[in-house]
Amino acid sequence: MTYQRMYQPKVKTGNWFEDLVLKEETIKEFLDKRSRGELLSQKVDFLKQNILEHVNLSATFDGQLRFGDVVMLVNVGGQDREHSVLSINANVDNVTKTPLPSIKMPCGVSGGKGIQSCVRTAFIITSVDGSPEGSTLHFDQSFALKTTSGFAKGLYLTSDKPRFQKCAKKSGLQDVYLDDTLSVLSWWKISHFDPQERFESEGLPVPANEKVLVIHCMTNQGLAVLGEKLLWTAYGREYEVVAHTFLDTHRAEQDVNFWILGTSDPAGDGLLFLRHLHVQQPT
C-alpha cells in the first residue's frame, strides 16, 4: 500500500514542522539563485543576449574578399535541408562571467537556420602566411577563420582527423570545432566549386557572395553541413557541421560542400548574399 499525504504543511499534523522548514529552504534557495543570476532561464537569457548581439559584416566594393574581412559562412542548402549559417554552438555550460563574460572551451559549431549577422555567426578572415590585413585573399591560399573578440573570445575554426574519442557527435565524421590556439589544424583554403574551373582559378582573387568550397588544408576535406544529422541546441534544431568531401557519381562535390562567404552591401542595402539565396532580408 502506497503512502499518501493526507495533510498540507500548514496543518499541524504529522511531520508538519519538517515540511514547513523544507518548503522555506526551497524558497530561500530559489531566491538566492535568482539574485545571483543562476536560474536556468537567466543563464539562457544571458547567453542569448551576448551571443546574438549584432555584428556589422564587412562591405566589399570590388567583389573580392580580403584579410581582416568579417563575413558569414552560409551553406546554400539543398533538397533535404534549408540554407544554414556556420554558427557557434555554445550553451549555458560554455559561458563564464569572470573575469569578463565570454565563451569557454571546448565549444562546437553547427549549421544554424537563422540569417542574422551577430557574434554567433561572424568570422574574421585571418592571415597565417604573413599577408597584411587588407590584402586580397586568393584561391588555394591558406587562411584562418576567427570569431570576433570579446564574448566570442577570438577562437579559431579547427578540425582534425577523426579518432575514436574525437569525431562528430552524430555522424562520426571529422569534427569541426573552435580552439583558442592557431595551428596548422586551423588552416583552410578556398577552391572553386566547379572542378572544371578549379585549375584556371588557382591564384585568382576569391569573390565574395558566390559559391565556393572551404577546404581544410591538413586533411583536404571540405567543410560540409549534414541535413540528416540534427542537433538540439539552445537556439533550436540545427544541422551538424563536419569536414568531409561528398562527391557525386561524376566525382564532383555535392551542394553540402557549397558555401558563400557573405558580406554586406556597401550601399547599405543589407546582406548581398541573400540575393543568391532568394530569401528575404532579416528585420
Side-chain angles (χ1 to χ4, degrees):
M1 182 177 179
T2 58
Y3 172 77
Q4 294 182 347
R5 183 186 295 272
M6 302 300 294
Y7 303 96
Q8 297 181 354
K10 64 182 180 179
V11 179
K12 294 178 173 52
T13 301
N15 297 329
W16 62 271
F17 184 74
E18 291 85 347
D19 290 344
L20 186 60
V21 170
L22 179 61
K23 183 178 180 180
E24 291 176 348
E25 289 180 348
T26 301
I27 295 175
K28 183 177 182 297
E29 182 181 5
F30 170 82
L31 294 176
D32 288 343
K33 283 187 174 182
R34 187 175 67 177
S35 65
R36 297 193 300 266
E38 295 179 355
L39 296 178
L40 180 59
S41 59
Q42 291 176 309
K43 291 180 179 179
V44 172
D45 289 342
F46 179 81
L47 169 63
K48 291 187 176 181
Q49 179 183 355
N50 286 274
I51 205 167
L52 298 181
E53 184 179 356
H54 178 73
V55 171
N56 291 321
L57 300 184
S58 298
T60 175
F61 294 89
D62 57 5
Q64 298 176 4
L65 292 173
R66 287 177 164 78
F67 290 103
D69 280 353
V70 182
V71 299
M72 288 173 61
L73 276 76
V74 184
N75 186 269
V76 298
Q79 292 183 349
D80 62 340
R81 70 194 190 287
E82 305 172 45
H83 53 265
S84 55
V85 181
L86 181 68
S87 306
I88 302 172
N89 188 16
N91 55 40
V92 294
D93 297 325
N94 291 117
V95 177
T96 179
K97 294 185 178 181
T98 56
L100 294 173
S102 62
I103 297 171
K104 62 182 181 180
M105 304 301 296
C107 187
V109 295
S110 58
K113 300 179 183 179
I115 302 293
Q116 180 182 1
S117 57
C118 59
V119 171
R120 187 174 182 237
T121 59
F123 288 85
I124 304 170
I125 300 176
T126 306
S127 172
V128 298
D129 60 3
S131 298
E133 186 169 317
S135 60
T136 304
L137 175 68
H138 297 86
F139 281 105
D140 295 311
Q141 182 179 10
S142 299
F143 67 97
L145 287 165
K146 184 174 70 172
T147 62
T148 55
S149 58
F151 186 77
K153 212 174 177 179
L155 304 176
Y156 296 95
L157 188 70
T158 306
S159 187
D160 197 1
K161 293 181 179 179
R163 300 186 296 273
F164 179 71
Q165 293 183 332
K166 186 60 177 176
C167 60
K169 184 177 180 180
K170 293 284 187 178
S171 63
L173 297 174
Q174 185 171 316
D175 194 20
V176 178
Y177 55 95
L178 297 170
D179 199 336
D180 55 2
T181 303
L182 177 60
S183 69
V184 68
L185 299 179
S186 308
W187 292 15
W188 302 83
K189 63 181 180 180
I190 302 295
S191 294
H192 200 286
F193 79 96
D194 187 347
Q196 297 182 356
E197 300 289 338
R198 203 159 294 162
F199 179 78
E200 289 79 2
S201 65
E202 185 175 348
L204 295 178
V206 177
N209 307 300
E210 294 187 15
K211 285 193 301 184
V212 294
L213 302 178
V214 182
I215 307 295
H216 188 242
C217 291
M218 194 188 78
T219 61
N220 204 38
Q221 296 295 327
L223 191 67
V225 166
L226 305 184
E228 74 281 5
K229 302 297 182 182
L230 299 176
L231 303 173
W232 289 99
T233 74
Y235 320 93
R237 192 170 61 174
E238 300 187 339
Y239 302 127
E240 184 172 71
V241 173
V242 298
H244 187 85
T245 302
F246 292 86
L247 302 176
D248 60 20
T249 56
H250 300 286
R251 303 293 297 172
E253 288 80 7
Q254 299 181 33
D255 54 18
V256 294
N257 290 122
F258 294 165
W259 295 86
I260 292 174
L261 276 68
T263 63
S264 63
D265 191 334
D269 294 331
L271 306 176
L272 279 176
F273 60 87
L274 294 183
R275 302 173 185 175
H276 298 263
L277 298 176
H278 305 291
V279 297
Q280 294 181 345
Q281 296 273 9
T283 57

